[in-house]
Amino acid sequence: MDPTNKPKGSSPHYSLYQREVFRQGGTEGKLPHFSVHPDELVESTKKKLNDRAYFYANSNAGLGWTDKANREAFYAWRIIPRMLVDTNVRDLSTFWAPYSCPNSLCPIGINKLYSPEGELVPAKIAGELGLPYCLSTAASNTIEDVAVANDSGALSVASEGGNYCQVRAGSNVNSPRFFQLYMGHDDEVTISLLERAWKNGFDVCMLTVDTWQLGWRPTDINIANYVFYYPPGTTGNELGASDPVFMRKYGEELKQDSGKWIDSSVWHGKAHTWKKIPWLIKEWKRISGGRPFVIKGIQSAEDALKAYEIGCEGIVVTNHAGRQVDGAVGSLEVLPEIVDAVGEKMKIIFDSGIRTGSDIFKAIALGAHAVQVGRLYVWGMAHEGEAGCRHVMKSLLADLDITMTVAGYPSITRDVNRKALKYNENGAYPRGEHAKL
């Protein structure tokens, strides 16, 4: 690949990362330390983590059929390549332009299971690459520390033109970030979390509605895998232990019961209903001055319409990566009907099962405005912390950019639509059928 005189567009030439890897191998003898092939990456992660960390990242609900359905749904849609198209400049920007691509990092809790620095790792890498980052309420770092890490990543490459983001006017934030809320039943604590998030530059609230409690995950049950109950009882409590309202009201209980934060404010098992959502939207709008509110966990057109009707600006179409309801529909299966119902009324972010650049292409073609990536970045940071997370995310960006190039689609918003795909209802998703070292 000729890196000289590359025409400039709205997105960087992510594809050049392929050449960088090849050149380092050929001229310096430096090879990647692990495979980024998704099937091999998840397998090598087993060797890097203890059982509790590995299974927390990879356990699925029940027999894992929903996780399988997520992948099979991608396999059923096939890209139709177009030839002799000018793809010398690719435009990967979507609705959150001028962010340079549709990728974002989804909220995953307890990142200290995968790397000692926890959420500071993906937050920093997201800042470096100009990708929106979403922090989980179940994080193992404080809101404040994650904000600093995200900004530091953005600032570290700003002078090189490496961060392609723009954030809200008048803000000191250097990289876009969302706050994912698990909402407990103490409104005062909820308000405190939202105020801290807004103060630290998290300017989109994303409420998760599919996980009032964890789904039945046999591989976690087998090893009683719930880090909050194990000594020293601090990992995963960081957001609660740093919250002034929670500690004022429940700090003494937390000292006696390390599960107090998670059991009362995160996965409490007491479902909210649609009646509660207008209050939350109103409070978030008051705190943030009207910034967007998004519901995460939508799997039906009916619920998507409800979300629109009560005032949500966006939804995340996700089944929590197959971790909540076994035997459920794959997220990509229901994406087209949700898009048909609300795609012109609100923003749709797709989540669940993204592994490759082609997967991102397909989700966008079926009507998603953007995507969230989860397990991939966790597997990367489990190998080499920042370096591993960076390698996986840069590889995914290169994969998407190269897919756009060789398939003949220069613009992800103008050219990538349902006409770019063909549906094949036959065939099962192949596993392990690829060339291996």
Side-chain angles (χ1 to χ4, degrees):
M1 179 186 294
D2 182 4
T4 61
N5 299 318
K6 301 285 283 187
K8 290 186 178 181
S10 58
S11 301
H13 292 281
Y14 294 117
S15 58
L16 288 174
Y17 188 60
Q18 180 192 64
R19 182 180 186 274
E20 180 183 332
V21 172
F22 288 165
R23 290 281 293 181
Q24 285 184 347
T27 62
E28 303 174 42
K30 293 182 179 180
L31 304 180
H33 295 166
F34 59 90
S35 171
V36 291
H37 188 291
D39 292 344
E40 294 184 7
L41 180 58
V42 66
E43 286 301 314
S44 61
T45 301
K46 289 181 180 180
K47 302 174 183 178
K48 298 294 182 179
L49 300 174
N50 62 34
D51 284 349
R52 287 179 185 159
Y54 175 79
F55 283 112
Y56 183 76
N58 295 289
S59 287
N60 295 307
L63 299 176
W65 286 356
T66 305
D67 175 60
K68 185 178 180 181
N70 285 335
R71 295 303 303 144
E72 288 180 338
F74 279 102
Y75 184 68
W77 288 100
R78 313 290 173 83
I79 298 171
I80 303 172
R82 302 299 303 272
M83 298 298 112
L84 295 173
V85 178
D86 183 356
T87 56
N88 289 304
V89 174
R90 279 82 56 204
D91 181 1
L92 306 185
S93 60
T94 59
F95 78 92
W96 49 37
Y99 314 151
S100 56
C101 75
N103 299 12
S104 63
L105 276 67
C106 81
I108 294 180
I110 330 174
N111 284 190
K112 285 182 180 177
L113 292 175
Y114 318 120
S115 177
E117 296 298 310
E119 286 77 9
L120 305 185
V121 171
K124 179 179 179 181
I125 300 307
E128 286 182 11
L129 299 178
L131 306 178
Y133 174 75
C134 188
L135 176 66
S136 170
T137 306
S140 51
N141 292 93
T142 69
I143 293 172
E144 294 76 12
D145 287 347
V146 171
V148 170
N150 192 224
D151 276 345
S152 71
L155 288 170
S156 70
V157 296
S159 61
E160 305 168 10
N163 183 296
Y164 295 85
C165 295
Q166 181 176 324
V167 295
R168 65 177 187 267
S171 173
N172 293 323
V173 175
N174 295 289
S175 192
R177 39 188 180 255
F178 303 166
F179 179 68
Q180 176 269 332
L181 176 67
Y182 284 118
M183 182 167 60
H185 287 266
D186 186 321
D187 292 347
E188 195 178 358
V189 172
T190 296
I191 295 298
S192 181
L193 290 172
L194 295 182
E195 288 176 342
R196 290 171 63 199
W198 171 250
K199 181 180 179 181
N200 287 278
F202 294 84
D203 63 353
V204 177
C205 179
M206 182 181 289
L207 173 69
T208 292
V209 295
D210 61 5
T211 313
W212 308 119
Q213 74 174 58
L214 297 187
W216 183 257
R217 305 170 188 172
T219 47
D220 279 333
I221 295 296
N222 293 344
I223 57 174
N225 196 16
Y226 209 57
V227 67
F228 313 95
Y229 294 166
Y230 286 85
T234 55
T235 302
N237 285 329
E238 283 81 356
L239 258 70
S242 60
D243 191 86
V245 173
F246 179 83
M247 291 305 290
R248 171 172 55 81
K249 300 180 75 170
Y250 307 109
E252 290 302 315
E253 293 180 58
L254 183 63
K255 292 178 182 178
Q256 303 301 319
D257 177 8
S258 62
K260 177 61 182 177
W261 162 249
I262 207 73
D263 289 343
S264 65
S265 296
V266 184
W267 301 315
H268 42 73
K270 301 174 182 178
H272 288 287
T273 69
W274 288 103
K275 292 181 180 179
K276 183 69 174 181
I277 308 306
W279 171 85
L280 182 61
I281 294 175
K282 180 181 178 181
E283 290 302 311
W284 172 247
K285 298 292 185 180
R286 175 184 63 81
I287 291 167
S288 68
R291 295 298 296 173
F293 181 90
V294 175
I295 282 184
K296 180 177 183 285
I298 300 298
Q299 290 285 271
S300 72
E302 292 82 359
D303 283 347
L305 282 167
K306 285 184 180 179
Y308 169 72
E309 289 166 357
I310 65 171
C312 297
E313 284 88 357
I315 56 174
V316 183
V317 176
T318 177
N319 54 33
H320 218 93
R323 292 160 65 77
Q324 286 301 99
V325 180
D326 192 26
V329 291
S331 273
L332 201 74
E333 289 182 73
V334 297
L335 178 61
E337 60 197 65
I338 291 173
V339 169
D340 290 343
V342 300
E344 294 183 357
K345 301 175 181 179
M346 63 198 313
K347 300 306 180 185
I348 298 174
I349 302 172
F350 179 84
D351 174 294
S352 292
I354 295 286
R355 297 290 184 270
T356 68
S358 294
D359 292 342
I360 298 170
F361 182 104
K362 293 174 184 180
I364 299 297
L366 292 176
H369 299 105
V371 303
Q372 288 188 328
V373 178
R375 282 171 166 163
L376 280 177
Y377 80 74
V378 162
W379 295 338
M381 65 188 284
H383 283 76
E384 295 179 349
E386 285 184 16
C389 185
R390 183 182 296 109
H391 178 47
V392 165
M393 293 309 299
K394 290 183 74 171
S395 296
L396 182 63
L397 291 169
D399 185 5
L400 173 60
D401 195 22
I402 290 172
T403 297
M404 297 281 292
T405 302
V406 299
Y409 293 88
S411 170
I412 204 163
T413 52
R414 185 185 66 245
D415 304 313
V416 178
N417 51 47
R418 293 186 195 181
K419 292 181 180 179
L421 301 179
K422 183 177 179 62
Y423 186 75
N424 178 12
E425 63 183 14
N426 299 312
Y429 171 65
R431 283 195 168 276
E433 299 175 14
H434 64 278
K436 300 180 181 179
L437 289 173

